[in-house]
Amino acid sequence: MNAEGFQIALQLLGGLALFIYGMNFMSDGLQKAAGDKMKSILEMLTRNVFIGVLAGALATAVLQSSGAVTVMVIGFVSAGLMTLKQAISIIMGANIGTCITAQLVAFQIGGYAWIFVIVGFIMFFFIPGHEKIKEFGQAIFAFGILFTGLNLISDAMEPLAQSAAFADIMLKVADVPILGVLAGAVMTTVVQSSSASIAVLQNLAATAGPTGGSLVGLTGAIPILFGTNIGSTTTALLASIGGTVNAKRTALSHVIFNIVGTLIFIWFTPYIASFVQTISPGGDELDVIARQIANAHLCFNVATTIVFLPLIGVLVKVVTKIIPGGEGDIDPGQPLYLDYNAVARPFSAIYLATKEITRMSELASDMIVATKKGFLGDDLESAEKVVETDLVLNHLRDEIVKYLSSIFSSEAVTEHQASNISGMMHVVSDVEHIGDDCKAISYFSIDKIRKGYNFSDAACAEIYQCFEHAGKMVRDSIEALNTGDVELARAVKEDQIKMENMEEELRRLHLQRLNEKKCSPEFSVVYTDIISDIRRIGDSCDNIANVVLKNINFKAIDEKTEAESADDK
């Protein structure tokens, strides 16, 4: 390779690197600015598959990353939060949403790239105290970087296009559609970005060859577009590794959807090219072909979705046949919802973490019931079950904290999300403390059952009262956390004051029974320790209520983001 060729290669690779960096950085900025809304958008899909397609397209258009949406969907399927049918509809929509980038590139605003860089840089670095402005500044700055990379690619294409050898290669690719499909698939697989592949294709097609016309032409570009869609499925395949059966089925459905769509429409390439030219602006080929390629990409993905949408049920049966089997038994000691593929997208990862914390909280709530049954009902099996469940809670606590720490270290996390993560870590610790206190009481229960001693009826009635009060506090604090009910959180705090007063009163009554010789002194330590453990359960509930009152709860994430956005404006 001569010096000129080496310089062209460096410029091409450098431009591509800037484009991909700008795309990812812009996606991160948009995610920070609007990512928390994605959970709400995706929740719409529970209605029907048509809404699922719209949700997938909207989420991808906002995040500017079909890969991010695909990974998120696979994580939700793996966690059992989404059905396979719903997931397929969202991925169909994501294919449509990813067409937005090609449409933006077709505007040919490369001459204004530095304006976006400067304005975004000022917003991102020099306006402190306004998180939303900073996040949008990041997206604008990255948008400028993206087009700066495209400018470098375009400049490198001009001398390359004049090479007879390169022109011959492109003519072969254009004349043999299967080569175009393979070229698009391989390039997208290598750079892991269909948007980058299509942007390079748009610039290449808009570059004049030795004969003065487009190097590729629209008819030659369309098979390459088909290939980029196939190459984009590698993201889903990688995300499904180690996932559940349904996660693997979701990734496979993405592959089948794009490959079959290509096999159907590749035979109609000349007709597609003619239709796209009809609906696109007229003019010189080099001036309009970038827009034509963008429109062809959009038409293909919309048409493929229209064809497959009524056949989603059939596609589900096909992937189920190819990948048979069920999900197997669920191990309660292992996290059910945590997916490390989602960590780079904090809004998705936080949502999954809230589901795992809710599951952990429900286990703790069940422990209260079993602890009461073990102690007051002399049920040895229930008491031993509590001890076993505490081990589960300990492990879940460790796994959730590790997962939250991974989210916290993500560069894409916002200040508000970081605050939520901190609050969630406190909640996890308090839920685990509830399990510890139940375990401590259950050890007393096991000892009491095995040694055959009993408390007085009065003492048992008092402990029953404490259990009932603590059980209500646990249920109310968990509900407040899940719903963001501030009034319920305040009620939990009031109940904790009652719990503390109850403990003092019960200690007084116990001393009175001792003085009256109505209670055995040897059981005094056990009695006081039990009511103290129950009171500590109330302390943990009180701490969870405090987290809710700081507006850190599972329902308030989107509402808080909206309020902050309004304040910034």
Side-chain angles (χ1 to χ4, degrees), residues 213-339:
S214 170
L215 267 176
V216 181
L218 181 58
T219 304
I222 289 174
I224 300 176
L225 282 177
F226 295 163
T228 63
N229 266 30
I230 294 173
S232 69
T233 62
T234 56
T235 303
L237 290 172
L238 291 173
S240 69
I241 295 174
T244 63
V245 171
N246 272 338
K248 292 181 174 66
R249 289 170 178 165
T250 302
L252 179 60
S253 68
H254 191 200
V255 175
I256 293 174
F257 172 68
N258 284 346
I259 289 179
V260 174
T262 295
L263 292 176
I264 291 173
F265 287 100
I266 196 169
W267 303 101
F268 304 98
T269 297
Y271 303 102
I272 296 172
S274 177
F275 173 74
V276 168
Q277 288 169 342
T278 301
I279 64 172
S280 301
D284 183 76
E285 181 186 30
L286 296 180
D287 294 332
V288 300
I289 195 167
R291 176 64 61 194
Q292 290 175 349
I293 289 173
N295 289 343
H297 189 216
L298 178 61
C299 289
F300 168 64
N301 283 324
V302 170
T304 307
T305 299
I306 291 173
V307 169
F308 269 90
L309 196 56
L311 302 174
I312 285 183
V314 176
L315 185 54
V316 169
K317 291 180 180 178
V318 170
V319 295
T320 303
K321 188 74 173 178
I322 295 173
I323 305 178
E327 297 296 343
D329 295 331
I330 297 174
D331 183 356
Q334 297 301 319
L336 181 61
Y337 301 108
L338 307 185
D339 179 12

Side-chain angles (χ1 to χ4, degrees), residues 553-564:
N553 57 75
F554 298 166
K555 185 180 179 181
I557 293 176
D558 291 340
E559 296 171 358
K560 180 75 172 179
T561 305
E562 290 173 2
E564 288 177 351

Side-chain angles (χ1 to χ4, degrees), residues 108-122:
Q108 299 179 342
I109 57 177
Y112 304 98
W114 290 111
I115 296 177
F116 287 105
V117 170
I118 293 169
V119 171
F121 181 81
I122 292 172

